[in-house]
Amino acid sequence: MRRVLGYAAAVVLIVGTWWGLAVWVGSPALPRPWPALVALVRALPALWPHVLVSLWRILAAMALGMGLALPAGVLIGRSRAVATVATPLIHLLYPIPKVVFLPVLLVLLGLGNAPKIVLIALTVFFQTLVSVRDAVRVIPMPYLAAVRAFGANRWQTVWHVVLPAALPGLFTSLRINVGTAIAILFLAESIAGDSGIGYYVMQMWAMIDYPAMFAGIIAMAAMGVAIYESLELIEHVALRWQRAQG
């Protein structure tokens, strides 16, 4: 209930600020909230397929990036030999804005889903990799010694100690990645593509239909909130042991 009230208060604050700015600016480029909401309802049949396409791209990219980063982060965090080779690579590649690879991906993979998914997955991969690696590195040695004393082999130690220790860092990274992934998706869809919310928003902008443009922005924001809350729910279930310790 408290969470619902928090969202309600946030919506009221955002809508109030939006209305005030629209009145103050007095430009058609910044319509008031009500025309944008009306446009959202009217455009929903045409907008919904774009929402589904963008949602698919985000989920596929996050699953790909996370699926590769989790084992890689565990391996780098637990193996000094691997870390010796991988750490300089991470330091060289991590600071590069992955969006600069969009033209290359468009040439190699075309204009469909693949370049957008790969671009987002690259960003998710590196941010998740660093978070998981750092989480694994700081596992207290007594934890590892305890399970080994009970006869656990390497894989059992990874499964019962290392992976649970990496999960909090993984979920923290994923929550941060949601906003970054959606921003990159918008850029990729607006530059190259014929579907997705980013494409829809830029089309409405080109047609000078500003209420419909803001309807697309609202849809993208709602998608981001839905993904974020889904991650919160999954984390709540996956990290029950952490709440029990607390």
Side-chain angles (χ1 to χ4, degrees), residues 11-30:
V11 169
V12 170
L13 179 61
I14 292 171
V15 171
T17 304
W18 178 1
W19 182 87
L21 286 174
V23 172
W24 180 59
V25 173
S27 170
L30 183 59

Side-chain angles (χ1 to χ4, degrees), residues 39-240:
L40 175 62
V41 174
R42 291 177 177 173
L44 199 56
L47 181 57
W48 184 244
H50 293 287
V51 173
L52 293 180
V53 169
S54 292
L55 182 61
W56 150 247
R57 289 167 177 165
I58 286 286
L59 295 181
M62 294 187 70
L64 177 62
M66 181 184 69
L68 295 174
L70 180 58
V74 170
L75 181 61
I76 294 171
R78 297 307 306 165
S79 173
R80 291 184 179 179
V82 175
T84 300
V85 177
T87 298
L89 291 174
I90 295 173
H91 290 171
L92 288 171
L93 297 176
Y94 180 71
I96 300 175
K98 308 307 177 290
V99 72
V100 301
F101 296 115
L102 179 59
V104 178
L105 294 175
L106 291 175
V107 172
L108 295 177
L109 302 176
L111 300 177
N113 289 325
K116 302 171 183 65
I117 291 174
V118 171
L119 181 64
I120 298 170
L122 280 173
T123 303
V124 172
F125 172 80
F126 279 99
Q127 293 185 355
T128 304
L129 176 69
V130 172
S131 297
V132 171
R133 180 202 63 181
D134 293 345
V136 169
R137 278 180 173 177
V138 297
I139 298 175
M141 288 304 299
Y143 291 1
L144 299 173
V147 295
R148 289 169 182 164
F150 283 100
N153 58 34
R154 177 177 297 179
W155 295 111
Q156 289 171 329
T157 301
V158 170
W159 181 258
H160 293 289
V161 179
V162 177
L163 283 180
L167 285 180
L170 174 65
F171 280 107
T172 298
S173 176
L174 286 177
R175 286 198 299 270
I176 296 172
N177 283 334
V178 169
T180 304
I182 291 176
I184 293 176
L185 178 68
F186 174 81
L187 182 62
E189 289 179 342
S190 63
I191 292 176
D194 56 1
S195 61
I197 306 178
Y199 169 79
Y200 176 87
V201 169
M202 296 307 294
Q203 284 294 106
M204 295 303 104
W205 171 76
M207 296 170 61
I208 320 179
D209 189 347
Y210 296 121
M213 181 184 74
F214 272 85
I217 294 173
I218 294 172
M220 181 165 279
M223 183 183 70
V225 171
I227 296 173
Y228 193 93
E229 286 297 317
S230 297
L231 289 175
E232 288 280 324
L233 179 61
I234 295 172
E235 182 180 13
H236 183 79
V237 175
L239 299 184
R240 293 190 302 268

